[in-house]
Amino acid sequence: MAKGKIIVAGIGPGNADDITPAVLKAVSESDIVIGYKYYFRFIEHALKKDAVCIDSGMRQERQRAEEAFNMAREGHTVCVISSGDAGIYGMAPLIHEMSVKNGDEQIEIETLPGISAFQKAASLLGAPTGHDLCIISMSDLMTPWAMIEKRIRAAATGDFVTAVYNPKSHGRYWQIYRLKEIFMQEREAGTPVGYVRNAGREGQMVVITTLELFDPEDIDMFTVVIIGNSQTYMAHTADGSRDIMITPRGYYREDLSDESANIGQNIMIKSFRTIEGELRNKDIPLDKKWAMLHAIHTTADFDMERLLWMDANAVASLYEKVNSGELKMIVTDVTMAASGIRKGALQRLGIEVKCYINDPRGAEMAKEQNITRAQAGMRLAAQEHPDALYVFGNAPTALLELCDLIRKGKASPAGIIGAPVGFVHVEESKHAAKPFRSIPKILIEGRKGGSNLAATLVNAILTYDDAGQLRPGRDV
């Protein structure tokens, strides 16, 4: 008996123009073509005259596969057709599985790829799949919903462009709402979302919206949804005829090996972009994001998203004071905080940094009045520079002392950066600073802090003009 053959072919999303020449050739050479009855309209023109067509309804995939093997065992060349690509939720896995289980060594299996529904939809939406992507089917007929939800969350947190198949049916309506809910927890509300109904077929509909405005009521079983990643954006075509989605691969991204940036700055730029991509909440004002990126870069602690507290526009307003020349003095509680402030930025902006912790006058005052040297340093600073930017990275007693001096009218700081660290009076000192409404403040809540953290928050202010381009490290 002649050796039989099964060709599993993807016929594309449903348009004759989207069927590959290899698939048309396979159909034209096959003795028997098997598939879901709806699909035969797309290949009728390619069938050879004496070909036998065996069609069946939906959810009869196993019966179609068994029929294919029965015919192939008789020596026929059988073509099993699937919509889209035969390997993506198509017949190819079932045919290969059955071949392995049956042990049909005399039957040759060949798989021919086709244009998938998500590829066709993507092409109609512009270029939304230009970077790492995943495909998720919302059908829970053969996959438990708990597993589907786990995959949805992984896609959302992993920043994958995500194509959604089988998003909704008459009996399965709430799952797409749950998908949106999960993505809204991990992505910005303005993330582009595109969906295409009947891609490549009669009645085709193409819509581009945002994650927040995406309405699951507008889609059905014949719709493919594509959710962009954190870099995806909407644009108009050059001729202005339509909107498109674009997920950049990176060709137009600023060259990080730019000769204008040194090696250290290049590393910082890459680090800041990595941190920005991993922020849970990206929809925050630029000046707060700039301070947060500095804080996380210095500590490698994403808990800073929760702990960084600042008045509205604190970084921006303090930068304006620096840039206008109004702010010329920074006072730190300890020398380590002073040493972490960028010397190049200080020189460029004409700012002086002073620390009184080792001032002999402070040591004598501390001894005479039974206070800490940090407290004494604040009293001296308030006498000489009452309107400086005050920075705390170690001593909560120093921050509490400044708050007392402000209440007594002996100091009127341009701003306060409060990041003392420790276990005694630390949290109280930060709370004590908050009520001064007229003073811009940047605080690290809780017990965490440190001189390096305080210094980096100063650096965020001094380099705020670089925030829009996300180019830290200019004055390293």
Side-chain angles (χ1 to χ4, degrees):
M1 183 180 294
K3 183 177 181 180
K5 181 178 182 179
I6 297 176
I7 303 170
V8 195
I11 63 170
N15 187 306
D17 293 336
D18 292 327
I19 303 176
T20 68
V23 169
L24 288 174
K25 183 173 183 293
V27 168
S28 67
E29 294 176 351
S30 296
D31 307 317
I32 299 165
V33 180
I34 299 176
Y36 172 45
K37 56 187 177 183
Y38 176 80
Y39 300 147
F40 280 91
R41 70 183 72 182
F42 306 119
I43 59 164
E44 284 177 343
H45 64 286
L47 294 168
K48 68 179 185 179
K49 291 182 179 180
D50 57 347
V52 176
C53 295
I54 301 175
D55 59 28
S56 58
M58 290 185 69
R59 300 183 185 178
Q60 296 182 22
E61 291 86 354
R62 185 158 183 167
Q63 293 92 318
R64 290 199 288 272
E66 289 172 346
E67 189 71 26
F69 276 95
N70 290 336
M71 295 296 180
R73 290 188 190 104
E74 296 177 6
H76 296 292
T77 296
V78 182
C79 183
V80 178
I81 57 174
S82 278
S83 66
D85 178 85
I88 301 176
Y89 307 123
M91 290 292 293
L94 176 57
I95 294 292
H96 281 278
E97 245 190 323
M98 196 170 284
S99 174
V100 171
K101 290 185 180 297
N102 292 341
D104 288 307
E105 297 178 2
Q106 296 303 310
I107 298 176
E108 179 186 354
I109 308 293
E110 181 182 4
T111 303
L112 296 178
I115 296 173
S116 67
F118 90 86
Q119 287 175 304
K120 181 66 176 180
S123 70
L124 295 167
L125 291 167
T129 57
H131 218 296
D132 298 338
L133 70 144
C134 66
I135 309 166
I136 299 175
S137 171
M138 300 293 284
S139 173
D140 56 0
L141 292 174
M142 289 178 283
T143 305
W145 172 253
M147 178 59 70
I148 295 173
E149 180 163 321
K150 186 176 181 180
R151 291 170 180 171
I152 292 169
R153 189 168 296 282
T157 57
D159 199 34
F160 285 96
V161 175
T162 306
V164 184
Y165 274 55
N166 306 314
K168 194 177 178 185
S169 67
H170 290 297
R172 179 171 36 78
Y173 67 94
W174 59 264
Q175 287 86 343
I176 188 65
Y177 285 91
R178 177 59 178 153
L179 177 140
K180 176 180 176 177
E181 182 181 10
I182 293 170
F183 268 82
M184 284 291 291
Q185 294 168 3
E186 305 293 341
R187 303 279 178 91
E188 290 187 22
T191 300
V193 173
Y195 55 93
V196 181
R197 187 179 190 277
N198 288 329
R201 303 176 188 174
E202 185 178 350
Q204 175 180 286
M205 179 181 71
V206 181
V207 177
I208 296 177
T209 183
T210 65
L211 184 59
E212 182 179 32
L213 298 178
F214 168 58
D215 186 356
E217 289 299 315
D218 291 340
I219 63 171
D220 59 17
M221 193 68 175
F222 301 101
T223 308
V224 174
V225 181
I226 297 181
I227 303 170
N229 68 11
S230 60
Q231 305 303 309
T232 306
Y233 62 94
M234 296 185 215
H236 298 297
T237 55
D239 62 5
S241 61
R242 62 190 180 100
D243 293 333
I244 56 173
M245 289 171 63
I246 301 175
T247 300
R249 183 71 179 90
Y251 299 110
Y252 278 89
R253 185 175 56 201
E254 184 178 28
D255 187 358
L256 294 183
S257 62
D258 188 333
E259 291 182 1
S260 66
N262 59 36
I263 294 174
Q265 186 183 10
N266 280 328
I267 292 172
M268 286 190 71
I269 291 171
K270 292 178 182 178
S271 297
F272 270 49
R273 287 177 176 170
T274 299
I275 295 166
E276 184 187 37
E278 295 183 20
L279 290 178
R280 293 183 64 84
N281 179 19
K282 302 178 181 65
D283 190 21
I284 55 177
L286 179 61
D287 71 330
K288 184 172 184 178
K289 180 185 286 188
W290 189 238
M292 190 177 296
L293 293 174
H294 276 80
I296 296 173
H297 178 257
T298 296
T299 62
D301 184 0
F302 277 84
D303 205 25
M304 290 297 136
E305 281 197 78
R306 179 177 61 85
L307 297 178
L308 179 66
W309 183 99
M310 58 184 273
D311 291 309
N313 303 312
V315 171
S317 63
L318 285 169
Y319 173 74
E320 284 303 315
K321 292 182 180 182
V322 168
N323 195 45
S324 67
E326 179 184 347
L327 174 55
K328 288 292 186 181
M329 176 61 68
I330 297 174
V331 172
T332 66
D333 61 338
V334 292
T335 55
M336 189 172 291
S339 66
I341 301 173
R342 294 182 186 167
K343 303 303 181 289
L346 293 171
Q347 184 177 9
R348 171 170 55 86
L349 296 165
I351 298 175
E352 183 182 351
V353 178
K354 195 161 187 177
C355 178
Y356 289 83
I357 193 72
N358 293 320
D359 191 305
R361 295 174 298 168
E364 185 177 347
M365 183 189 298
K367 185 177 181 180
E368 290 177 353
Q369 301 183 22
N370 193 30
I371 58 176
T372 67
R373 286 165 57 197
Q375 286 176 283
M378 288 301 105
R379 294 181 185 183
L380 290 173
Q383 293 171 13
E384 298 181 359
H385 303 287
D387 57 352
L389 170 62
Y390 280 76
V391 180
F392 302 87
N394 181 270
T397 57
L399 179 52
L400 286 169
E401 183 68 31
L402 177 68
C403 292
D404 188 52
L405 291 166
I406 294 170
R407 293 179 67 244
K408 292 176 179 177
K410 295 181 179 181
S412 54
I416 298 173
I417 293 179
V421 62
F423 300 93
V424 180
H425 303 311
V426 174
E427 294 180 79
E428 295 91 331
S429 70
K430 297 167 184 178
H431 292 312
K434 291 180 181 179
F436 303 116
R437 296 180 181 178
S438 62
I439 302 172
K441 299 171 293 297
I442 306 172
L443 307 172
I444 301 298
E445 298 208 88
R447 295 172 171 178
K448 291 185 178 182
S451 295
N452 59 340
L453 189 50
T456 201
L457 292 173
V458 176
N459 292 334
I461 294 168
L462 301 184
T463 62
Y464 183 57
D465 53 334
D466 294 328
Q469 292 76 41
L470 208 68
R471 288 179 62 83
R474 175 156 56 103
D475 297 303
V476 171

